Amino acid sequence: MRALYPGSFDPLTNGHMDLIERASCLFGDLVVAVLDNPSKRPAFSVDERIRQIRSSTAHLHGVEVISFDGLTVNCAKDQSADLILRGLRAMSDFEYELQLAHTNRSLDDTLETVFMATSTQHSFLSSSVVKEVARFGGAIDHMVPKEVALDLNRLFNSAFLPH
Ligand code: ADP
């Protein structure tokens, strides 16, 4: 089976990593698809996010990293994916994710959405929380892969440097 794991990944967190590691054991191929949506004003460019994910998943077999824009169902078709993978952290994710899954199924009824529950220790993690902590100089090493922590520290340290 070939699964598509779409998201913003701005940036990749240990929660995403946990899902990628577990999913790569379940599905033969896993395509991590980084959404290129400049209107979201991301902290990291698509190329930076792809580099972060590639280096953090280099030890895993069958994981590819790509970028996409437009509809997830079209990306899934282009990638010959059998299913869309999404993560669920809490009930608060559920309503939106269910709406998204129904929408995608109404656009392509051959495509299933599969949800995986987050590991408990990562259920509080989100890219925006990580950015918020990093912005104010808090410790983020337990929240993101090493490479991402370096990039975040670089980003927010340089933001405070006088020009
Ligand atoms: P999006 O903007 O598409 O929600 P995200 O990068 O925030 O992009 O999330 C991509 C996917 O990863 C979503 O399915 C989300 O539920 C899941 N996810 C986000 N954070 C975690 C986490 N801490 N543990 C597991 N899954 C997560």
Side-chain angles (χ1 to χ4, degrees), residues 72-159:
T72 306
V73 290
N74 291 344
C75 175
K77 201 172 289 174
D78 292 345
Q79 290 295 318
S80 307
D82 302 296
L83 59 96
I84 296 172
L85 174 71
R86 295 286 288 178
L88 285 180
R89 282 163 293 191
M91 275 305 284
S92 48
D93 282 339
F94 182 76
E95 212 165 319
Y96 173 68
E97 291 294 339
L98 191 66
Q99 186 183 23
L100 213 58
H102 283 311
T103 306
N104 287 335
R105 210 163 146 72
S106 78
L107 295 172
D108 181 348
D109 64 6
T110 65
L111 204 57
E112 293 290 349
T113 297
V114 171
F115 298 110
M116 281 179 74
T118 315
S119 297
T120 327
Q121 74 267 32
H122 296 124
S123 60
F124 71 99
L125 277 178
S126 70
S127 298
S128 37
V129 160
V130 168
K131 281 183 283 194
E132 202 65 7
V133 174
R135 185 191 308 276
F136 295 109
I140 48 163
D141 303 288
H142 57 303
M143 300 180 185
V144 292
K146 203 175 282 170
E147 162 123 0
V148 177
L150 288 172
D151 286 352
L152 278 166
N153 288 330
R154 209 165 13 229
L155 180 74
F156 289 114
N157 286 338
S158 66

Side-chain angles (χ1 to χ4, degrees), residues 19-95:
L19 216 73
I20 292 170
E21 281 170 353
R22 286 160 55 212
S24 76
C25 298
L26 280 179
F27 309 110
D29 295 310
L30 181 67
V31 182
V32 182
V34 179
L35 179 64
D36 186 2
N37 181 1
S39 67
K40 269 200 168 182
R41 294 177 114 276
F44 294 104
S45 69
V46 168
D47 287 345
E48 286 172 314
R49 283 178 270 160
I50 288 180
R51 179 180 42 73
Q52 290 164 349
I53 302 170
R54 284 206 178 123
S55 67
S56 308
T57 59
H59 61 294
L60 299 172
H61 291 292
V63 175
E64 291 166 48
V65 189
I66 61 157
S67 69
F68 78 107
D69 55 15
L71 293 175
T72 306
V73 290
N74 291 344
C75 175
K77 201 172 289 174
D78 292 345
Q79 290 295 318
S80 307
D82 302 296
L83 59 96
I84 296 172
L85 174 71
R86 295 286 288 178
L88 285 180
R89 282 163 293 191
M91 275 305 284
S92 48
D93 282 339
F94 182 76
E95 212 165 319

